[in-house]
Amino acid sequence: MCRLFGMSSAPERTCATFWLLDAPDSLSDQSHRNPDGAGLGFFDADRTPRVYKTPIAAYQDQCFAEQAKQVKSAVFVAHLRYATTGGVAYRNTQPFEQDGRLFGHNGVIEDLDELDAELGTDLAMVEGETDSERLFALITREIRKRSDVAGGIECAARWVARNLRLYALNLILASAEELWALRYPDTHELYVLQRPGGGHHGARHLDHSGTAGRMRVHCADMARVPAVVIASEPMDDSLGWRLLEPGELLHVGPGPRVTSRIAVPEEPARRLQLADLSPRAAAAQQAA
């Protein structure tokens, strides 16, 4: 399945090193199992979103490894893609950017013709072919209506849950100083770690690695700066990792301060099982 990663140290800007090619527990290593694209999003000091992404496996792209290795931001989003909808192309590679926000999604949404009809003229925000970018466009539309990011995510997710065939809808959405995450329903896992400055042992930098060779992120600044990490799996042996509840919408604000609530309490009306998916989609959702 696709892999999600988000991290916030807002309002502090920190320099994080993402191992992509040359570390044993690396994005590059993981991309052998998620071969359809990799991307890293962050924000400049003037709050401009930046994304570097490649539509081929990171291990095949030295340029991706070199450019994505070290970046400075208050908020980061990384995504590794195993394609289920849309071809292997730059326009289909995550994270996506809309209205100055970055977005990554893990899951499968079907009935895209119904979603397109619901989007109407807002479908113009979608440049690629994926269910993920369409979902982002729906969220962006609802945020514009409400001037409320959490409310926009909730409204869009509940519309999808009521109207479309759905296997999983895990997402991370980021602005320059805020981060939101939703796990829905209970199909895939999504974890959060609230890390004090120096970690739970004090005076230690951040050095997180996927437990099964997923990715590695190092940040010396976090020997003093607190952070919140969101990931598809626990990335170290800390006892602080918490699995989000099904339907839980988590918000990380500057501080970083964490709040959460159950935003989508109901089960999907048209929930898909693994056997309902196409062979490619099913393989993607089962990928290690």
Side-chain angles (χ1 to χ4, degrees):
M1 64 181 179
C2 298
R3 296 286 167 175
L4 293 171
F5 174 87
M7 185 168 73
S8 173
S9 58
E12 292 268 357
R13 289 174 56 78
T14 54
C15 188
T17 303
F18 289 76
W19 270 263
L20 305 172
L21 188 66
D22 58 349
D25 295 328
S26 65
L27 278 170
S28 171
D29 179 58
Q30 186 180 350
S31 71
H32 284 270
R33 293 179 293 278
N34 297 66
D36 301 320
L40 176 65
F42 55 98
F43 295 85
D44 288 343
D46 65 0
R47 306 173 70 90
T48 302
R50 302 291 183 189
V51 177
Y52 186 85
K53 54 188 180 181
T54 178
I56 62 173
Y59 71 88
Q60 295 177 330
D61 187 351
Q62 182 67 32
C63 181
F64 180 77
E66 294 298 329
Q67 292 193 31
K69 198 167 199 176
Q70 190 174 78
V71 292
K72 189 168 187 177
S73 182
V75 177
F76 303 87
V77 178
H79 185 274
L80 291 170
R81 183 181 188 229
Y82 202 128
T84 57
T85 304
V88 178
Y90 182 88
R91 65 183 181 276
N92 293 329
T93 305
Q94 303 185 49
F96 300 113
E97 186 271 324
Q98 293 175 11
D99 284 5
R101 303 182 192 93
L102 300 174
F103 178 84
H105 165 240
N106 168 21
V108 177
I109 300 168
E110 297 193 349
D111 303 311
L112 297 187
D113 54 342
E114 295 182 36
L115 180 50
D116 289 352
E118 172 65 19
L119 283 169
T121 58
D122 292 306
L123 188 60
M125 286 188 280
V126 178
E127 298 179 357
E129 306 157 316
T130 65
D131 54 344
S132 301
E133 193 179 13
R134 286 172 164 89
L135 171 63
F136 189 20
L138 185 64
I139 291 170
T140 298
R141 184 189 75 181
E142 297 304 320
I143 293 171
R144 288 174 178 174
K145 287 181 180 179
R146 293 163 176 76
S147 299
D148 174 13
V149 175
I153 293 171
E154 176 181 348
C155 184
R158 296 186 77 168
W159 186 90
V160 171
R162 289 193 306 268
N163 294 284
L164 305 182
R165 288 178 295 164
L166 167 68
Y167 182 72
L169 192 165
N170 285 6
L171 64 86
I172 293 177
L173 190 151
S175 67
E177 288 196 340
E178 296 180 86
L179 197 63
W180 294 262
L182 174 68
R183 180 187 178 215
Y184 184 75
D186 59 356
T187 312
H188 293 321
E189 296 176 342
L190 192 62
Y191 291 86
V192 60
L193 173 68
Q194 296 178 245
R195 186 184 191 275
H200 295 287
H201 301 288
R204 292 191 180 180
H205 58 256
L206 180 144
D207 195 353
H208 282 165
S209 299
T211 55
R214 302 302 182 220
M215 68 177 73
R216 185 181 178 194
V217 183
H218 175 89
C219 182
D221 293 340
M222 288 180 190
R224 59 177 182 83
V225 177
V228 175
V229 181
I230 300 166
S232 295
E233 60 176 342
M235 294 183 67
D236 63 12
D237 60 0
S238 170
L239 298 179
W241 287 100
R242 178 178 72 84
L243 178 65
L244 270 64
E245 296 294 328
E248 181 177 353
L249 176 61
L250 182 138
H251 173 235
V252 185
R257 297 186 300 273
V258 176
T259 59
S260 73
R261 59 187 175 84
I262 302 300
V264 193
E266 63 270 19
E267 276 282 303
R270 302 164 68 185
R271 183 168 183 170
L272 294 169
Q273 303 300 318
L274 196 64
D276 299 320
L277 303 180
S278 70
R280 178 170 178 78
Q285 297 307 301
Q286 292 179 296

